[in-house]
Amino acid sequence: MSAIVIMLQQWKQRKYIYFYNPTGSILVGRINELFIYDTSNMSGKSQQKREGLQVVKVSEEPGRRYVLDEEALESVLLRDDIRNLPVVVVSVAGAFRGGKSFILDFFLRYLKASTESQLTKEWLGSEDELLEGFDWRGGSESNTKGIHIWPEPIVVSTPQTDEKVVVLLMDTQGTFDMESDMGDNSSIFALSTLLSSVQIYNLRANIGEDDLQHLQLFTEYGKLVCNTEGKAFQTLLFLVRDWFSPYEHPYGYIGGEGLLNKRFQPKLKQKKQVKEVREHIHSCFEKLQCFLMPFPGPMVANAQFKGRLCDIEKEFKESLLELVPSLLDPNKLTRKIINGHEVRAQGLLEFFKSYVDIFNSEDLPQATTIFEATVDACMMSVLREARERYESNMEPNIVENQTISTNIMQELHSSAVAAAVTYFEGKKKLGSEDNVKAHLVDLKKNDAKVRVTMSDAKKAYEDVVSAVCGDQSRLCLHVQDLRSVHLKAIQAALDVFDLTRAKVPQESDIDRKMLIESLEKHYEYLCTVNEQNNRNATLEARELYLTQMKDGVDQQGVSSEALRARHEEALHAATRHFQSLRNHPTQEQTDPDLEQLQKDIESYFASFKKANAHSNLLAMQIAEYAYNNYVSLEWVPHSCCFHPRALQEMHEEAKKCALKQFLADRTESIDDEYKDKLIANLEIRYGALQKNNNYNNKQAVDQAYGEYIREMDNYSRPGVKALFIVTFLVKSFSWSKYHEKAKKKAMNVFNEKRRGATYDDDEHLNELKEKIDEAYGDYKNPLKSLGREIGL
């Protein structure tokens, strides 16, 4: 904003400055924060703030997972002007505190801008314009709950056909917010992906393997709902925020495409599970894209940040100018398609109802951990229920001490197996078709005794694992400790199995080998669960570190010593928290997960040091402004001067004001290099003031002396002195009287220039008096003065 300073006034330790903006608003600057009062609307009535409309809530009612606010949704989708228009649904989903709502508000700003400003790239707005729209804030707590849409759908006309479409922006609850379980994470992500035409997967810093595994689970969960042949979803955009390696892959779509190809490129020794994750994602989406965005700047993490462009780094704004039009330009809009048909606004309402009902259904399996482990748990649950159905059909026909013919037994068995298979096929299941078929073959096996023995052995295995972690979904161990538990559990399972197989050589016991293979496969699932839980533990510990660092570091910065002490304390707390999430401590000398946590924390600490240095420099600047404001108010006009001691006193008071400002919201420490640097800067500033003051004092002496000479000349007329020598001899008796009058006027001129207190030992005043006394001597002895003038 171009502002003209019209008034400078001190309020409470000189913290406030007023600015006037010709557009009609007054800025009250409190040095470290700004309050804006709009003089164009001073009626005192507050305007209602527009924000996202929550249409899907996580239910607190038993037996119901989600609540659809149909009335709120109808108020948007059934408006007469849009109900029959095709819809474009742009959704942002991802981990909590990732800036989803923040980026959506820039989408909203673009959609509300004029066509001309969109073309000229002026849609970003002015540097001081506040960012409004979906509610967002900094901090460590999740802000958005459930699913929100913007309540004012925006109608856009396509340039080629002039057809109108309505654009809906959707904001989703952040995943892994420590309040939601995996079921909520999966359902909300899946629901938003089902309903959107463009799903933006908001990630931080990189595309990790765990991000892809979560995406596989979320989308597979969504596929259970839609029952669509072919690709279930439309466009997926990996939006990687805070990308710190532009030298490797540049910002934008070009660098994003390079990163995406690198992450999805098949490799020779790639694990089957890793390969399947990528194949699954490709099979789900019609279009995959990736966009890399830079860090928006340290000011964005400040609690006082309100979304002003002036607080955002230039590279981030340039990325916005590329990203937003690529999604929302009228020529590039992606309309919502379901089963090959365009969806209109009123039709989208029906899909909302249908999908939420399905997610509330008991038929849908619960998503508890990452994909492969969830598939296994889901499949085992359905298999167990199907086998119980088989046993419930068989048991009434088997009576102790009675025999049944082989034919009848086979018929009963076939009938019970058919009922079990029908039940199995009717349940919704996660997993690939091959996986389902493999379990179906297992279900049809008819050796009841072997199955019971295998079941008992597996239970013995699970009992050993559960003794360590309780619920297997909470398994979190060092990888070597998990291996030890697995070997112990396998031995327990084989001990149970071998009790019934004494007459069968172990080396030729196919069932025993199948049991071992089954347990080894289950161990792979446990490794996956364990790996993910270790990652989640690392994530929680990292978040704890970040929270403690943000809570313990003042917004105006702290000393390097205090920052290091806070870092050590937060690192210790994060390490303790990570270890507390482990099922038991490890005795291994090296711990890759803990080492990764510490490596991540050191990276975060480097960022904190950079941000802290920036905050300290900003706080020093603000303090120096306070010093300068104090001096400016005392030093008026600029041509005035001070007694050197008065200048020193003013400097000390201004320094106190600056230090008070600097330490106002800061924890003072003994060794504070920034405070010392500030004091050194103020002393340098004081040195410059001394030079300026000395010059002004000399100017004041010269001007006062000149005034004395002018006054005395009015009496003496030295230009005609030689002609009236006798007259001057007579007037010499009155010189004392004239001298005192002229001297008084000279002193008045000097004192008008002076500010501050006066002191007896005034070198500049003494100099003036000496010069006046010397001139007075010349005036009293005009012949001597005349002789000097004519060179005698």
Side-chain angles (χ1 to χ4, degrees):
M1 184 185 335
S2 177
I4 304 172
V5 179
I6 64 167
M7 182 168 62
L8 202 61
Q9 177 180 342
Q10 289 181 289
W11 278 14
K12 295 182 181 178
Q13 293 86 38
R14 299 174 175 83
K15 287 187 177 179
Y16 291 85
I17 304 174
Y18 292 80
F19 298 86
Y20 171 70
N21 178 13
T23 59
S25 61
I26 294 176
L27 289 180
V28 182
R30 197 187 173 192
I31 298 178
N32 61 346
E33 56 184 318
L34 288 176
F35 303 94
I36 300 180
Y37 295 91
D38 191 351
T39 56
S40 63
N41 180 21
M42 298 294 285
S43 63
K45 296 179 180 179
S46 61
Q47 296 181 353
Q48 185 177 3
K49 176 186 176 183
R50 300 294 292 171
E51 57 185 18
L53 183 67
Q54 187 176 23
V55 294
V56 177
K57 306 175 184 177
V58 177
S59 174
E60 297 181 357
E61 302 177 18
R64 191 180 186 192
R65 298 170 66 186
Y66 306 101
V67 176
L68 177 67
D69 191 337
E70 292 189 29
E71 183 177 350
L73 195 57
E74 288 173 357
S75 69
V76 177
L77 299 180
L78 296 187
R79 280 175 28 180
D80 292 338
D81 57 331
I82 73 157
R83 63 188 305 160
N84 292 317
L85 295 180
V87 290
V88 173
V89 186
V90 179
S91 170
V92 182
F96 77 110
R97 310 313 311 143
K100 299 184 295 299
S101 305
F102 177 69
I103 202 74
L104 273 170
D105 286 344
F106 282 107
F107 291 1
L108 191 61
R109 180 173 289 187
Y110 177 87
L111 290 170
K112 288 183 175 182
S114 65
T115 303
E116 181 182 358
S117 65
Q118 290 175 352
L119 294 174
T120 58
K121 298 183 179 181
E122 294 179 354
W123 61 268
L124 270 179
S126 65
E127 289 292 303
D128 284 325
E129 185 177 352
L130 299 180
L131 186 62
E132 297 179 341
F134 290 95
D135 189 26
W136 57 271
R137 65 169 186 263
S140 60
E141 297 299 323
S142 179
N143 197 30
T144 304
K145 301 294 183 182
I147 293 180
H148 295 236
I149 64 173
W150 187 246
E152 298 174 350
I154 297 173
V155 177
V156 178
S157 297
T158 56
Q160 296 90 346
T161 62
D162 200 32
E163 183 184 4
K164 293 181 178 179
V165 297
V166 59
V167 179
L168 297 175
L169 298 181
M170 183 184 297
D171 192 10
T172 65
Q173 174 177 322
T175 55
F176 311 115
D177 60 357
M178 301 181 192
E179 294 180 9
S180 307
D181 58 23
M182 184 61 78
D184 287 338
N185 291 332
S186 304
S187 299
I188 294 296
F189 195 110
L191 183 56
S192 65
T193 307
L194 284 166
L195 293 166
S196 62
S197 52
V198 177
Q199 176 67 291
I200 299 175
Y201 191 13
N202 193 69
L203 303 173
R204 178 163 289 175
N206 210 332
I207 302 177
E209 189 62 34
D210 53 340
D211 298 320
L212 298 180
Q213 290 184 12
H214 289 140
L215 180 61
Q216 182 189 23
L217 172 60
F218 300 157
T219 51
E220 181 69 12
Y221 208 53
K223 285 176 67 177
L224 286 178
V225 175
C226 65
N227 290 324
T228 302
E229 294 184 3
K231 297 190 176 183
F233 315 111
Q234 290 178 256
T235 298
L236 175 68
L237 171 63
F238 291 91
L239 181 59
V240 181
R241 310 279 290 277
D242 302 349
W243 175 250
F244 288 111
S245 305
Y247 54 85
E248 183 180 358
H249 297 290
Y251 299 129
Y253 281 110
I254 295 177
E257 182 179 2
L259 178 64
L260 198 62
N261 290 337
K262 185 176 181 180
R263 291 290 179 268
F264 278 76
Q265 183 179 10
K267 299 176 183 177
L268 290 176
K269 296 183 179 180
Q270 195 171 56
K271 293 182 179 179
K272 179 183 178 183
Q273 177 192 9
V274 175
K275 182 179 179 182
E276 287 178 349
V277 168
R278 286 149 177 77
E279 290 175 349
H280 171 84
I281 294 172
H282 270 299
S283 70
C284 287
F285 291 93
E286 296 176 0
K287 185 178 182 180
L288 291 178
Q289 291 179 295
C290 181
F291 190 93
L292 306 181
M293 294 196 78
F295 180 58
M299 286 299 296
V300 175
N302 194 305
Q304 302 298 327
F305 178 67
K306 302 298 182 184
R308 293 185 179 91
L309 292 178
C310 59
D311 295 328
I312 299 175
E313 297 291 340
K314 179 182 177 182
E315 288 179 329
F316 188 85
K317 290 183 278 192
E318 291 174 349
S319 291
L320 287 173
L321 291 173
E322 179 184 359
L323 170 68
V324 179
S326 72
L327 299 172
L328 301 176
D329 183 288
N331 292 308
K332 299 176 181 178
L333 292 172
T334 302
R335 303 187 185 193
K336 180 59 185 170
I337 305 291
I338 295 180
N339 291 328
H341 300 287
E342 278 191 358
V343 178
R344 300 187 180 271
Q346 60 183 350
L348 187 66
L349 174 63
E350 297 306 318
F351 282 108
F352 259 102
K353 294 178 182 179
S354 175
Y355 290 155
V356 171
D357 285 345
I358 294 175
F359 280 112
N360 281 327
S361 171
E362 294 182 356
D363 292 336
L364 199 64
Q366 289 286 325
T368 56
T369 61
I370 60 174
F371 181 68
E372 288 293 346
T374 306
V375 168
D376 183 51
C378 173
M379 202 73 71
M380 289 300 142
S381 175
V382 176
L383 275 174
R384 182 175 61 255
E385 293 172 4
R387 283 170 175 163
E388 289 174 355
R389 185 65 58 92
Y390 169 86
E391 291 170 358
S392 65
N393 287 330
M394 288 292 290
E395 284 177 358
N397 300 297
I398 300 175
V399 182
E400 190 176 358
N401 298 325
Q402 291 187 5
T403 59
I404 302 177
S405 67
T406 302
N407 291 338
I408 295 176
M409 186 65 180
Q410 186 60 44
E411 290 177 4
L412 293 172
H413 165 70
S414 299
S415 176
V417 167
V421 169
T422 300
Y423 178 83
F424 179 84
E425 292 176 337
K427 297 289 287 185
K428 288 184 179 292
K429 302 169 286 297
L430 293 173
S432 65
E433 185 176 349
D434 290 341
N435 197 354
V436 173
K437 288 180 179 179
H439 284 82
L440 185 59
V441 170
D442 181 60
L443 177 64
K444 293 178 180 179
K445 289 182 179 180
N446 61 359
D447 190 342
K449 289 184 178 180
V450 172
R451 188 167 64 250
V452 170
T453 302
M454 296 277 271
S455 177
D456 290 343
K458 289 180 180 178
K459 185 177 183 305
Y461 179 95
E462 292 177 355
D463 287 344
V464 173
V465 176
S466 297
V468 174
C469 62
D471 185 352
Q472 290 186 17
S473 65
R474 299 183 179 277
L475 183 65
C476 187
L477 292 167
H478 187 289
V479 62
Q480 292 301 327
D481 294 338
L482 176 59
R483 181 65 183 172
S484 299
V485 171
H486 165 66
L487 294 176
K488 180 180 178 181
I490 273 203
Q491 188 57 54
L494 292 178
D495 289 345
V496 170
F497 184 86
D498 290 342
L499 287 175
T500 64
R501 312 285 283 185
K503 296 181 180 180
V504 181
Q506 293 182 357
E507 61 274 9
S508 60
D509 193 335
I510 297 176
D511 292 324
R512 193 177 192 272
K513 291 179 180 179
M514 288 179 60
L515 172 63
I516 295 174
E517 290 176 359
S518 174
L519 295 179
E520 288 294 341
K521 186 176 181 180
H522 189 66
Y523 171 60
E524 292 180 8
Y525 295 148
L526 292 180
C527 287
T528 302
V529 174
N530 187 67
E531 180 182 2
Q532 184 57 42
N533 286 341
N534 270 291
R535 285 177 181 169
N536 289 342
T538 302
L539 177 62
E540 281 192 34
R542 276 173 17 198
E543 289 297 328
L544 177 63
Y545 172 83
L546 291 173
T547 299
Q548 290 202 7
M549 287 295 288
K550 290 175 182 177
D551 291 344
V553 177
D554 297 330
Q555 293 178 4
Q556 288 190 323
V558 296
S559 68
S560 297
E561 181 185 16
L563 183 67
R564 167 63 67 176
R566 190 62 186 174
H567 161 71
E568 296 294 342
E569 183 180 345
L571 173 61
H572 186 57
T575 303
R576 285 201 317 269
H577 183 69
F578 174 83
Q579 292 171 338
S580 71
L581 295 174
R582 284 276 180 82
N583 301 131
H584 63 69
T586 184
Q587 300 299 319
E588 298 292 330
Q589 293 184 347
T590 60
D591 191 336
D593 295 299
L594 184 58
E595 290 172 358
Q596 183 61 47
L597 170 63
Q598 294 168 343
K599 181 179 178 182
D600 292 344
I601 287 177
E602 286 301 324
S603 176
Y604 285 131
F605 181 49
S607 298
F608 272 108
K609 286 194 290 186
K610 182 178 178 181
N612 184 59
H614 181 274
S615 297
N616 273 292
L617 291 176
L618 183 61
M620 287 169 60
Q621 290 177 359
I622 293 171
E624 289 179 29
Y625 290 155
Y627 178 92
N628 292 334
N629 285 340
Y630 188 101
V631 172
S632 296
L633 290 168
E634 297 291 335
W635 199 312
V636 179
H638 292 306
S639 59
C640 74
C641 57
F642 296 80
H643 186 284
R645 284 175 60 187
L647 179 67
Q648 183 180 11
E649 289 173 357
M650 182 184 70
H651 161 69
E652 293 298 333
E653 288 300 317
K655 185 166 73 172
K656 287 180 183 177
C657 180
L659 289 174
K660 186 171 184 179
Q661 171 64 38
F662 183 73
L663 300 171
D665 299 315
R666 184 187 188 88
T667 303
E668 191 170 6
S669 58
I670 298 175
D671 185 12
D672 190 338
E673 72 275 30
Y674 294 104
K675 178 184 174 183
D676 296 339
K677 178 65 175 175
L678 171 62
I679 294 174
N681 290 347
L682 297 181
E683 292 301 326
I684 293 173
R685 173 65 175 147
Y686 175 49
L689 292 176
Q690 286 177 309
K691 290 182 179 179
N692 192 25
N693 186 58
N694 188 54
Y695 175 81
N696 287 357
N697 269 297
K698 290 184 179 297
Q699 289 292 103
V701 169
D702 291 343
Q703 292 175 20
Y705 178 71
E707 180 66 21
Y708 175 83
I709 296 299
R710 283 191 295 274
E711 288 297 319
M712 292 298 288
D713 284 351
N714 288 334
Y715 299 113
S716 65
R717 305 295 182 189
V720 292
K721 195 187 305 181
L723 298 177
F724 300 99
I725 190 64
V726 177
T727 304
F728 277 95
L729 288 173
V730 175
K731 291 179 74 172
S732 63
F733 296 103
S734 303
W735 280 124
S736 177
K737 176 182 177 181
Y738 298 144
H739 164 70
E740 292 300 329
K741 288 183 178 180
K743 183 177 181 180
K744 183 177 181 181
K745 286 191 175 183
M747 290 301 172
N748 288 339
V749 170
F750 182 80
N751 290 330
E752 285 177 359
K753 294 289 184 180
R754 272 294 178 92
R755 299 290 183 271
T758 59
Y759 298 92
D760 294 336
D761 56 336
D762 193 330
E763 58 178 314
H764 299 290
L765 183 60
N766 292 338
E767 180 186 356
L768 174 60
K769 290 178 179 179
E770 289 174 3
K771 293 181 71 172
I772 289 174
D773 289 342
E774 183 180 346
Y776 176 49
D778 289 341
Y779 282 108
K780 287 197 302 181
N781 190 355
L783 291 177
K784 182 179 179 181
S785 175
L786 181 61
R788 283 201 305 268
E789 288 183 8
I790 63 177
L792 295 179

